[in-house]
Amino acid sequence: LTDITVRKTAEAELADTREALLRANERLRASNRDLEQFAYVASHDLQEPLRMVVSYGQLLERKYHDRLDDDAHTFIDFMVEGGARMQAMVTDLLEFSRVDRMGGEREPFDSGKAVEEAKFSLSQAIAESGAEIGHAGLPEIVYDSHQFVRLMQNLIGNALKYHDPGRPPKVTVTARRDGHQWEFSVSDNGIGIDPAYFEQIFAVFRRLHTRDRYGGTGIGLAVCKKIVEHHGGRIWVESTPGAGSAFFFTAPDP
Ligand code: ADP
């Protein structure tokens, strides 16, 4: 009898805990939705005032160039530069909060063509760095094609940005079938990432290498993670600091 009582009490406690966990999970989801709604509204409404700060700063510099002293030039430069950096962050944040809103349009397309498109949009960085970007035998997949191009732009763009100044970037995009899905990889010969940060770099605003000369907003990989998870996949990184990194993600195989 005692055993039965103990078991019943344990079962009841388990059911209560499960119930509490479900409620907590629902509250967490709701507050995430609120946060994303806030990010969307805030970043959208910040665009116009920021544009004014930057463009009037530039106008001031142009129109009154000869009448301003050196200090004034320096201060305006700081203002315009800070404003432009904030504009980039706001634009990226807006894009991040939009991923869920859009991206329902899945269609079959050639992922190799998407890589070509991404390369085209990065042609200036490719030419400047003397990068070599290889891809071969990439499959047809069912995905939001616009978002797939974005994924490739962010991953290849990072591979170009975080390259070792001592050697031109070499980037390779591959895909292999893994059961019912494709596993894509974008690998580089760049500066690499400390394994302690393998998870963190996918969070919004998380940046490493900030003391170096690399600019950025820390949103690119968070956007990638959202796009991949939106399509039911997973994204991760493997890297050897000083030798290079490889970003992997899975995509459903139609
Ligand atoms: P950012 O705008 O800073 O590039 P991301 O979200 O795209 O933001 O990347 C987050 C951080 O991850 C970067 O600040 C950088 O330190 C690191 N990182 C991303 N891609 C690479 C790469 N291919 N090689 C080395 N470090 C990388």
Side-chain angles (χ1 to χ4, degrees):
L1 189 70
T2 337
D3 274 0
I4 290 172
T5 319
V6 169
R7 209 178 64 220
K8 283 207 163 148
T9 314
E11 275 171 0
E13 274 173 7
L14 214 64
D16 281 354
T17 312
R18 204 169 154 268
E19 186 64 25
L21 271 175
L22 285 175
R23 274 201 306 272
N25 192 25
E26 190 39 52
R27 276 206 299 276
L28 208 64
R29 273 173 197 273
S31 77
N32 260 347
R33 277 197 298 271
D34 287 351
L35 204 67
E36 279 178 16
Q37 175 70 13
F38 171 76
Y40 178 75
V41 174
S43 46
H44 185 264
D45 291 359
L46 282 171
Q47 276 189 322
E48 184 55 19
L50 274 173
R51 198 186 59 76
M52 286 172 81
V53 170
V54 173
S55 51
Y56 279 101
Q58 287 167 333
L59 190 64
L60 198 67
E61 176 68 50
R62 264 206 312 276
K63 198 163 170 198
Y64 299 97
H65 188 269
D66 297 337
R67 282 198 254 160
L68 298 170
D69 63 17
D70 285 352
D71 269 358
H73 284 303
T74 309
F75 298 159
I76 294 173
D77 275 356
F78 282 156
M79 194 177 88
V80 171
E81 206 185 292
R85 210 166 50 235
M86 203 149 151
Q87 262 183 325
M89 290 173 87
V90 160
T91 307
D92 282 2
L93 194 59
L94 195 59
E95 191 197 350
F96 174 75
S97 58
R98 270 178 179 160
V99 173
D100 288 340
R101 274 161 229 273
M102 318 204 298
E105 305 87 29
R106 292 177 200 189
E107 55 191 348
F109 70 94
D110 176 356
S111 61
K113 280 212 182 104
V115 173
E116 284 300 329
E117 247 182 78
K119 271 172 68 176
F120 183 71
S121 69
L122 294 164
S123 24
Q124 195 184 341
I126 295 174
E128 277 170 11
S129 59
E132 204 181 292
I133 302 184
H135 68 88
L138 294 180
E140 177 167 287
I141 54 169
V142 175
Y143 220 83
D144 179 304
S145 60
H146 176 75
Q147 291 194 344
F148 192 87
V149 172
R150 191 89 203 115
L151 247 176
M152 286 299 151
Q153 281 170 336
N154 288 356
L155 295 177
I156 299 173
N158 276 349
L160 299 175
K161 185 157 82 174
Y162 299 104
H163 82 266
D164 187 321
R167 50 182 186 257
K170 195 162 186 263
V171 187
T172 312
V173 185
T174 63
R176 68 173 188 95
R177 197 192 290 274
D178 171 24
H180 293 297
Q181 56 187 7
W182 286 102
E183 186 184 288
F184 283 84
S185 77
V186 178
S187 56
D188 64 54
N189 61 342
I191 56 173
I193 298 162
D194 183 331
Y197 301 105
F198 280 3
E199 294 271 336
Q200 295 182 27
I201 52 169
F202 293 98
V204 184
F205 294 137
R206 190 69 174 102
R207 303 186 55 218
L208 315 175
H209 312 114
T210 44
R211 269 193 242 146
D212 306 308
R213 71 213 147 84
Y214 311 99
T217 59
I219 295 181
L221 286 179
V223 167
C224 291
K225 184 172 156 74
K226 228 181 190 196
I227 292 174
V228 168
E229 290 181 353
H230 205 61
H231 288 81
R234 194 168 80 79
I235 185 166
W236 70 100
V237 65
E238 285 168 17
S239 174
T240 308
S245 315
F247 283 82
F248 297 88
F249 68 89
T250 56
D253 178 9

